[in-house]
Amino acid sequence: MEEFLRLEKIHKSFVGVHALKGVDFTLRKGEIHCLVGENGCGKSTLIKIISGVLQPDSGRIVVEGQPVASLGSAATMARGIQVIYQDLSLFPNLTVAENIAIAEVKERGGGVVDWDEVRRIARAAMARIRVDLDLDAEVGELPIGVQQLVAICRALTSDLKLLILDEPTASLPKHDIENLLSVVRDLQAHGIAVLFVSHKLNEIFAVAERITVFRDGERVATLPPNELDDDRLVALMTGRTLARKVFAFADASARKVLEVRGLSKRNHFADVSLELRAGEIVGLTGLIGSGRTELALALFGISPAESGEIRVEGKPVQIRSVQDAVAAGIAYVPENRLVQGLVMKHSVEANVTATVLDRLLGRLGLVDPARKQALAREWIKALGIKVSNPAVPVQTLSGGNQQKVVIAKWLAASPRILILDGPTVGVDVMAKAAIHDYVRGLAARGMAVLLITDEEAEAVANTNRILIMRAGRIRDEIVAAAAEAEQVQQLVEAPS
Amino acid sequence: MIPAFLQRPSANRTLAGVLVAIVVLMSALNPQRFPTIGNLISMSYQLPIIAFLSLGMMVAMVSGGINLAIIATANFTGIVMALLLRAVAGDAAEEAGAGVALLAMGGGLAAALVLGAVMGWLIAYVEVPAILTTLAMMTLLNGVNLVITKGYTLSGFPEFLLGVGNGMLGPVPIPFLILVAVVMGMAVFLRRTRTGLGLYLLGSNPIAAGYSNLHVRAVLVRTYALSSAFSALTAFIMVGQLNSVKANYAESYLLVSVLACFLGGVDPFGGTGTLTGMVLAVVILQVVSTGVNLLRMDPFFIQALWGFIILVLIAAGFLGERLREVRRLRAARLAQQAAPGSTVGTGP
Ligand SMILES: Nc1ncnc2c1ncn2[C@@H]1O[C@H](COP(=O)(O)OP(=O)(O)OP(=O)(O)O)[C@@H](O)[C@H]1O
Ligand SMILES: [Mg+2]
């Protein structure tokens, strides 16, 4: 097959990090090519070089047989290359229609915006991936999964030859992932190449024609999927093999740490009752809009419930603010790390320690800088966060490593009850296993964990019970050990 | 919005270089009067006023807001002090002792703190934008100040207060000593307290700060109270130096304080800005102001100069970006010609 894009000996360094070490890479016309590798191995950097956002330190880029000096972002688009970045880069205060059509409308120029045209473009793009979103909804108000769809629609408005998707499925629920994968195949049928980054091995095998594996800034292999399996792939990525363990809850009669009775909030969830025992990891799943995140936000005091009772360690508590929740020993790892989880401009240290400043007080009640830094170092080590030192701004970390910072910051608060909302979004296989192990360890020492996830497999392997929400209520509860991921998925998608 | 060269970590070194250059320039232009001990002392008398107002502006800006009412609050504080002195000591205000003076200062400070807390409350809890809240407060206070003073100058302050603004300890002006102490206090506050560290977090991303167990609203209220406390400090020193209060002293300093933040590298969208940068910026502005003054230029020219400096900074920022871009493209093109396609770009 003819090649569309070739990279030769690409090098790229940042302060203190050699992100790409002489990478050679080719992409054929109309192929679906997957890019895999551990967090921080250079996938996003490679993509930014292809898209012209970053300039390589040295090396050569050839597009359709022509060497190019440097691909500026506009030049990239003119060559039919579109990128959807890991952080989406949407305009949160514009509507769905405006976000989708913005590039197209701008190109036509003329100074006056034709709103009918905007809506027509948006509808056409949505039709291509068979979604139906409210054109007038403000994007910032939408769940992350829906925002992802908006970003994909936006890329589909132009004349495409190569669509690059950097972890497009990281925060999409199952149903939308399948939809997206079929869109990807559809695009390919129209001769459009797709470069696809993902940490989810099953979807890589489902869609890839060729798989390129990166490790530590180098390309280690490019192979068709039939020459690989999960274990080989993980071995290529990490040089190690993955031990799969299933969570077992030791003490079914342990004390109840959290009891929720009849918790309700109009238009969000109704009559929710649940219990968490010490040492238990309970899964909570459901479609976007099923009320699971709203329930978590109520337990964490961000948007308190209107009625119902919450007991912690048997004592009734009022949770009206985050401060109340933290005082009760509740921690919440939010689902959207960019908006809710991290202060991107600030250092890893500032972020990790943000929740526990009052525990780092030294003489005169002042924050002790030495202890603050030591704590940050401790968590960087514990979760294997890839960063040269704690003073580095979080925004320069790779996506998966940013996610680890969010987790670290709440584990640092050593809560009694830990609510994890999509904690392993964008985290590589090995690190994901490490986070799961870590959480199991916390449970073994008596923490009660509520694990909210879109991935049924994650829930099945890491919890002892799974609660399934539909339309604002907990409709089913199943024992994880006896469950299959498919069964959970059926319950999630069952009519309420 | 802020020129990139003021945001980089090396920015403070650049500022220090600029300061040295300006001092050398001013000394060369006016060798008789600028590089003298007398001038140094006179500058350290004037510096605290610009510095306190700028620090008050800085904390509001780091939180992602602005405090347009700092001057009005300072004048109000001065007037409250004058009124308190009259109420307590009557016509004998000038002879009043340190106790009475301290009482007046305490009253003034309390008034400023209340005003600041009210602004902070409106911004944090009612969610009125800071620019609107503080603009309204400024307009309101300007009106109130005029009504109370009927446009007259109130004078006759006790010895103790004059000492705060005008006194010397050995060869060093007392207001300068106060400034040094306050800057050290601020360094501790910004780097070592929950509120100070939280201020930066919330200025950068208020949502994530709220999710991190930071009481965002309480921090905002404290921030504006602190900003107003700087107005009160300014008032203490102004009263001492002018031996009078008036409805609209120092109004042109509002722009200067914004300029100082800008120069000092405070991001007007919140979240960043160092104390070192602020101190350097404030000293630069004082040196420029004194230097130009000593050249016997028109005071109105000086005011225009501040606006000019802002525009130059903005232009320099854009130019710097542009130049870097042009240089990169040129390097890429040269590399291309030398050996077609052998290297791409230059990287930073
Ligand atoms: N702007 C930057 N400044 C400094 N370092 C950076 C910058 N961007 C990326 N890096 C570093 O380069 C390395 C590669 O990052 P990259 O984002 O390409 O990883 P990735 O493979 O996409 O990882 P993930 O799977 O977590 O998204 C990381 O160590 C990262 O910290
Ligand atoms: Mg990435």
Side-chain angles (χ1 to χ4, degrees):
Chain A
M1 235 192 295
E2 223 185 315
E3 74 174 34
F4 175 74
L5 170 78
R6 190 171 74 233
L7 304 180
E8 293 172 7
K9 304 243 167 340
I10 299 284
H11 280 270
K12 179 73 191 175
S13 295
F14 300 103
V15 190
V17 190
H18 198 163
L20 294 176
K21 306 170 181 167
V23 171
D24 294 319
F25 177 78
T26 47
L27 193 105
R28 296 174 186 156
K29 280 192 176 146
E31 76 168 333
I32 302 179
H33 197 129
C34 286
L35 203 56
V36 297
E38 284 185 293
N39 294 131
C41 70
K43 304 180 294 297
S44 297
T45 304
L46 186 82
I47 286 171
K48 285 179 191 155
I49 282 173
I50 296 175
S51 70
V53 170
L54 291 175
Q55 302 298 317
D57 300 340
S58 66
R60 198 164 109 108
I61 304 175
V62 183
V63 180
E64 294 188 291
Q66 290 188 328
V68 285
S70 79
L71 286 167
S73 298
T76 316
M77 286 183 206
R79 285 170 200 276
I81 302 174
Q82 284 276 349
V83 187
I84 297 178
Y85 295 101
Q86 210 161 352
D87 55 10
L88 304 182
S89 37
L90 293 168
F91 300 93
N93 50 348
L94 298 187
T95 66
V96 168
E98 289 162 344
N99 264 289
I100 294 176
I102 197 156
E104 277 296 287
V105 168
K106 212 165 48 192
E107 242 161 64
R108 267 162 227 201
V112 185
V113 176
D114 177 352
W115 291 106
D116 292 336
E117 181 72 357
V118 166
R119 302 177 79 83
R120 196 191 57 73
I121 294 170
R123 278 210 196 87
M126 292 197 317
R128 272 181 95 165
I129 56 168
R130 280 162 274 160
V131 294
D132 188 19
L133 308 174
D134 176 4
L135 288 176
D136 299 313
E138 218 174 85
V139 161
E141 307 280 300
L142 297 172
I144 185 92
V146 180
Q147 295 190 14
Q148 179 79 65
L149 296 178
V150 175
I152 293 168
C153 288
R154 184 174 60 178
L156 291 174
T157 56
S158 65
D159 177 30
L160 262 189
K161 287 185 187 156
L162 168 61
L163 179 64
I164 304 179
L165 298 163
D166 196 354
E167 300 193 35
T169 59
S171 34
L172 286 193
K174 198 74 144 226
H175 183 77
D176 296 337
I177 292 179
E178 279 154 20
N179 200 349
L180 176 71
L181 294 185
S182 71
V183 171
V184 165
R185 290 195 197 94
D186 222 52
L187 293 174
Q188 183 205 23
H190 290 91
I192 298 169
V194 178
L195 179 60
F196 192 95
V197 180
S198 174
H199 291 294
K200 298 181 183 173
L201 305 185
N202 54 351
E203 64 191 40
I204 291 167
F205 282 112
V207 79
E209 288 174 298
R210 291 201 298 158
I211 299 173
T212 288
V213 184
F214 267 67
R215 192 201 299 174
D216 216 5
E218 286 173 281
R219 187 175 64 88
V220 292
T222 299
L223 294 164
N226 57 15
E227 290 177 27
L228 286 168
D229 57 30
D230 279 11
D231 290 335
R232 273 269 346 254
L233 195 52
V234 172
L236 283 173
M237 280 164 60
T238 65
R240 286 165 292 163
T241 50
L242 191 64
R244 287 190 182 72
K245 284 173 274 176
V246 171
F247 174 68
F249 176 42
D251 180 9
S253 64
R255 68 177 200 290
K256 292 174 186 166
V257 180
L258 176 71
E259 292 163 88
V260 173
R261 297 265 166 276
L263 209 63
S264 302
K265 185 175 174 70
R266 220 172 315 128
N267 298 332
H268 292 290
F269 52 84
D271 199 22
V272 170
S273 298
L274 60 88
E275 288 175 7
L276 293 183
R277 289 175 187 274
E280 209 177 16
I281 305 179
V282 173
L284 177 64
T285 183
L287 297 175
I288 288 177
S290 63
R292 33 168 229 197
T293 291
E294 288 72 14
L295 173 62
L297 292 181
L299 291 175
F300 192 54
I302 299 268
S303 51
E306 285 156 359
S307 62
E309 190 191 21
I310 302 171
R311 285 167 178 271
V312 173
E313 302 280 6
K315 285 195 258 333
V317 289
Q318 288 288 332
I319 296 181
R320 304 253 134 247
S321 67
V322 174
Q323 283 70 38
D324 290 346
V326 171
I330 300 175
Y332 173 64
V333 173
E335 66 170 339
N336 184 342
R337 66 171 169 257
L338 290 175
V339 176
Q340 304 156 340
L342 295 171
V343 181
M344 299 296 278
K345 277 197 285 184
H346 290 277
S347 66
V348 173
E349 177 181 322
N351 276 278
V352 170
T353 56
T355 51
V356 289
L357 289 175
D358 49 356
R359 290 189 210 163
L360 298 172
L361 305 183
R363 277 186 306 130
L364 303 170
L366 295 175
V367 174
D368 180 343
R371 272 168 65 197
K372 185 160 163 268
Q373 202 193 62
L375 184 78
R377 283 189 192 283
E378 212 174 280
W379 283 104
I380 287 171
K381 192 148 161 268
L383 295 186
I385 298 170
K386 198 181 164 196
V387 60
S388 51
N389 75 68
V392 167
V394 172
Q395 63 190 358
T396 70
L397 268 61
S398 79
N401 284 299
Q402 291 175 3
Q403 182 63 32
K404 291 183 204 169
V405 175
V406 187
I407 295 178
K409 118 179 184 187
W410 276 112
L411 291 184
S414 50
R416 222 181 260 142
I417 300 159
L418 178 63
I419 305 173
L420 299 164
D421 200 347
T424 56
V425 167
V427 173
D428 72 54
V429 229
M430 219 22 125
K432 197 165 169 173
I435 289 172
H436 289 151
D437 269 351
Y438 203 92
V439 171
R440 289 171 191 188
L442 294 172
R445 272 173 275 138
M447 197 182 286
V449 182
L450 186 65
L451 173 63
I452 304 175
T453 176
D454 277 323
E455 284 179 63
E456 289 83 13
E458 181 174 43
V460 168
N462 294 289
T463 65
N464 55 311
R465 291 184 286 138
I466 303 171
L467 309 174
I468 293 142
M469 279 186 91
R470 289 192 301 271
R473 287 167 192 272
I474 295 179
R475 307 280 177 167
D476 293 288
E477 172 174 341
I478 56 179
V479 177
E484 294 286 340
E486 286 72 25
Q487 182 196 351
V488 180
Q489 194 191 341
Q490 278 169 11
L491 289 172
V492 165
E493 290 172 6
S496 48
Chain B
M1 156 133 202
I2 279 226
F5 71 88
L6 288 182
Q7 280 190 313
R8 272 196 295 277
S10 59
N12 289 344
R13 236 174 300 143
T14 311
L15 277 184
V18 169
L19 176 57
V20 171
I22 292 180
V23 169
V24 170
L25 177 73
M26 290 301 174
S27 307
L29 284 178
N30 205 342
Q32 259 87 57
R33 275 176 293 174
F34 189 84
T36 60
I37 297 287
N39 185 37
L40 195 63
I41 293 176
S42 111
M43 281 200 295
S44 43
Y45 266 120
Q46 291 162 23
L47 184 67
I49 291 186
I50 295 190
F52 288 144
L53 290 172
S54 302
L55 289 173
M57 186 60 80
M58 175 206 183
V59 289
M61 276 201 180
V62 169
S63 80
I66 193 166
N67 185 359
L68 297 175
I70 41 171
I71 312 277
T73 310
N75 285 321
F76 181 75
T77 307
I79 292 168
V80 167
M81 283 162 57
L83 294 184
L84 276 173
L85 280 171
R86 294 217 174 149
V88 175
D91 287 340
E94 258 172 87
E95 279 82 50
V100 174
L102 282 171
L103 181 82
M105 289 166 84
L109 179 64
L113 288 175
V114 169
L115 291 177
V118 168
M119 289 191 287
W121 182 80
L122 284 169
I123 292 163
Y125 287 86
V126 192
E127 296 179 16
V128 186
I131 191 165
L132 187 61
T133 308
T134 59
L135 185 64
M137 183 60 89
M138 173 182 104
T139 313
L140 173 72
L141 288 180
N142 282 341
V144 169
N145 291 346
L146 266 177
V147 169
I148 297 179
T149 60
K150 304 192 179 68
Y152 292 113
T153 306
L154 311 182
S155 53
F157 286 90
E159 206 49 42
F160 181 85
L161 254 175
L162 301 185
V164 168
N166 242 347
M168 290 272 247
L169 202 71
V172 192
I174 288 176
F176 187 77
L177 292 176
I178 298 176
L179 174 64
V180 170
V182 167
V183 166
M184 291 195 307
M186 276 295 278
V188 172
F189 168 74
L190 291 177
R191 264 177 253 150
R192 310 255 329 250
T193 67
R194 267 199 86 173
T195 306
L197 290 164
L199 175 62
Y200 281 94
L201 293 178
L202 96 84
S204 215
N205 183 348
I207 298 178
Y211 273 75
S212 306
N213 188 22
L214 184 77
H215 202 309
V216 171
R217 290 178 161 158
V219 173
L220 274 177
V221 172
R222 279 177 231 157
T223 300
Y224 282 89
L226 176 64
S227 182
S228 290
F230 277 110
S231 297
L233 270 172
T234 309
F236 297 162
I237 297 189
M238 272 201 312
V239 164
Q241 295 189 349
L242 303 172
N243 190 13
S244 64
V245 296
K246 208 177 152 203
N248 55 356
Y249 272 144
E251 273 183 335
S252 65
Y253 279 14
L254 186 57
L255 181 64
V256 178
S257 69
V258 174
L259 175 53
C261 290
F262 197 69
L263 193 61
V266 178
D267 184 343
F269 296 112
T272 43
T274 63
L275 198 56
T276 317
M278 285 303 296
V279 169
L280 285 168
V282 164
V283 175
I284 288 176
L285 292 179
Q286 184 62 56
V287 168
V288 171
S289 154
T290 305
V292 173
N293 231 329
L294 287 179
L295 289 174
R296 304 234 183 284
M297 287 189 189
D298 189 334
F300 293 109
F301 170 78
I302 298 178
Q303 213 171 318
L305 187 70
W306 298 139
F308 180 71
I309 292 179
I310 293 193
L311 294 178
V312 166
L313 279 175
I314 294 171
F318 282 132
L319 272 183
E321 285 301 311
R322 273 261 159 280
L323 282 177
R324 254 194 304 287
E325 221 158 77
V326 169
R327 227 175 300 144
R328 212 187 55 213
L329 285 180
R330 189 173 314 144
R333 214 171 307 127
L334 282 178
Q336 192 75 12
Q337 284 164 359
S342 65
T343 48
V344 185
T346 49

